[in-house]
């Protein structure tokens, strides 16, 4: 129920648009305290204003790029100074990456790993002392591309596979040490965010799932301390089942379903 989040202190990254923005609005309606971050300050200001209108207990923001080595500490310092602690960290931001053939640009892979993976590790590491104290939660927004290597997403897919490996391993260590901090990994399919639709609508014929419902499922999974959230559940679970039973068959289904003639090299 919404009461589970009332008064909770929550950080949401990538909160100026898409799924992150929708999560901020859901949490505001649940009367949580919000600290939001993204690159674009003007957009963040508008989201914070809307969150306050919707009933957030409080709403603040810190703007900046996640490839900055100082931003994670700045975010957590703001949480500690403002709230004296933290209950939930939702890691949702991503860097820009095209839906196209891999060009051989290793520099792009390195930068994307810094934003999509290393900054997640840095934020979680900085947040752990406060989350241990509150027995809180880490929510990691990932992708079906972090479980299944489809075409045209090589750099992006690499970062999402890395998230799965790191946070699945960290979860084991926390359990061994009897630390009551939950880690929820969110495996998302095709969602109707502006950036996703713009990137893949000419190639993938599927109808994207609604970002508003996706955002709510992510929050629900984190609040209930679930190991994993799959959304849309049927599509993602079916693909993962086929991959475990017949991976080459799944690969051929993916290739044949794409309009590859629309992919720019």
């Amino acid at each position: 129920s919404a009461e589970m989040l009332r008064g909770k202190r929550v950080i949401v990254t990538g909160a100026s648009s898409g799924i992150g923005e929708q999560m901020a609005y859901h949490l505001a309606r649940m009367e949580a305290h919000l600290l939001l971050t993204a690159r674009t300050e003007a957009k963040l200001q508008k989201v914070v204003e809307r969150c306050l209108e919707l009933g957030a207990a409080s709403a603040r923001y810190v703007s900046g790029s996640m490839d900055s080595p100082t931003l994670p500490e700045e975010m957590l310092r703001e949480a500690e100074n403002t709230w004296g602690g933290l209950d939930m960290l939702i890691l949702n931001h991503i860097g820009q990456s095209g839906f196209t053939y891999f060009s051989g640009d290793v520099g792009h892979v390195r930068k994307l790993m810094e934003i999509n993976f290393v900054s997640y590790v840095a934020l979680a590491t900085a947040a752990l002392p406060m989350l241990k104290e509150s027995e809180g939660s880490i929510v990691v927004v990932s992708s079906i591309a972090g479980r299944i290597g489809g075409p045209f997403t090589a750099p992006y897919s690499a970062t999402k596979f890395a998230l799965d490996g790191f946070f699945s391993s960290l979860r084991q260590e926390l359990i061994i040490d009897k630390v009551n901090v939950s880690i929820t990994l969110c495996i998302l399919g095709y969602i109707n965010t502006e950036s996703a639709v713009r990137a893949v609508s000419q190639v993938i014929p599927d109808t994207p799932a609604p970002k508003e419902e996706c955002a709510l499922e992510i929050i629900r999974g984190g609040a209930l301390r679930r190991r994993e959230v799959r959304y849309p559940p049927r599509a993602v679970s079916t693909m993962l089942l086929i991959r475990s039973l017949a991976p080459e068959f799944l690969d051929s289904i993916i290739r044949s379903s794409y309009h590859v003639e629309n992919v720019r090299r």
Side-chain angles (χ1 to χ4, degrees):
S1 67
E3 285 72 23
M4 292 180 70
L5 278 302
R6 181 175 295 143
K8 296 296 185 182
R9 302 158 296 181
V10 185
I11 288 176
V12 183
T13 72
S16 65
S17 62
I19 296 168
E21 179 184 1
Q22 297 305 316
M23 284 193 284
Y25 297 154
H26 283 305
L27 288 162
R29 293 184 188 98
M30 297 172 188
E31 300 177 27
H33 293 277
L34 295 172
L35 177 56
L36 310 178
T37 184
R39 286 183 293 265
T40 310
E41 185 171 7
K43 289 183 178 180
L44 275 175
Q45 287 176 335
K46 291 180 180 178
V47 175
V48 163
E49 288 171 8
R50 181 64 179 144
C51 286
L52 292 170
E53 290 171 2
L54 290 171
S58 68
R60 306 167 69 88
Y61 73 86
V62 175
S63 61
S65 175
M66 281 299 173
D67 57 1
S68 165
T70 61
L71 190 60
E73 292 293 344
E74 185 182 348
M75 288 288 299
L76 273 300
R77 190 163 53 247
E78 180 77 12
E80 188 163 23
N81 292 342
T82 304
W83 302 326
L86 181 67
D87 297 297
M88 183 180 287
L89 173 65
I90 303 179
L91 300 167
N92 168 71
H93 59 278
I94 56 169
Q96 299 288 331
S97 187
F99 194 77
T100 186
Y101 291 88
F102 177 55
S103 67
D105 186 350
V106 177
H108 172 63
V109 177
R110 188 173 286 117
K111 182 173 183 180
L112 204 63
M113 286 294 289
E114 191 70 38
I115 297 171
N116 288 14
F117 172 63
V118 176
S119 68
Y120 277 54
V121 175
L123 275 160
T125 301
L128 263 176
M130 285 192 285
L131 291 172
K132 287 178 181 178
E133 189 174 328
S134 66
E135 298 190 335
S137 306
I138 298 172
V139 179
V140 181
V141 178
S142 189
S143 166
I144 190 71
R147 293 283 176 85
I148 296 169
F152 315 125
T153 61
Y156 174 80
S157 188
T159 66
K160 294 301 187 179
F161 268 87
L163 286 178
D164 196 335
F166 179 84
F167 283 99
S168 295
S169 179
L170 180 62
R171 183 193 290 116
Q172 294 273 48
E173 293 176 19
L174 294 175
I175 293 170
I176 289 169
D177 283 344
K178 296 181 171 58
V179 173
N180 191 20
V181 175
S182 65
I183 295 179
T184 300
L185 198 67
C186 304
I187 313 301
L188 307 186
Y190 182 22
I191 312 299
N192 70 346
T193 63
E194 285 184 27
S195 58
V197 171
R198 185 171 59 247
V200 308
S201 60
Q202 299 301 310
V203 181
I204 297 178
D206 300 343
T207 301
K211 60 192 175 189
E212 297 83 2
E213 185 176 289
C214 177
L216 188 58
E217 286 303 309
I218 291 169
I219 293 167
R220 182 179 285 123
L224 297 176
R225 306 172 78 85
R226 291 177 181 161
R227 176 188 180 92
E228 193 168 283
V229 170
R230 297 177 178 181
Y231 188 85
R234 182 177 296 177
V236 171
S237 295
T238 299
M239 289 184 72
L240 292 177
L241 177 62
I242 297 172
R243 184 206 58 173
S244 65
L245 298 174
E248 291 185 358
F249 176 59
L250 177 62
D251 287 351
S252 69
I253 290 174
I254 292 171
R255 290 193 301 270
S256 64
S257 67
Y258 284 9
H259 297 307
V260 296
E261 67 278 5
N262 293 335
V263 179
R264 294 180 181 177
R265 288 187 181 271

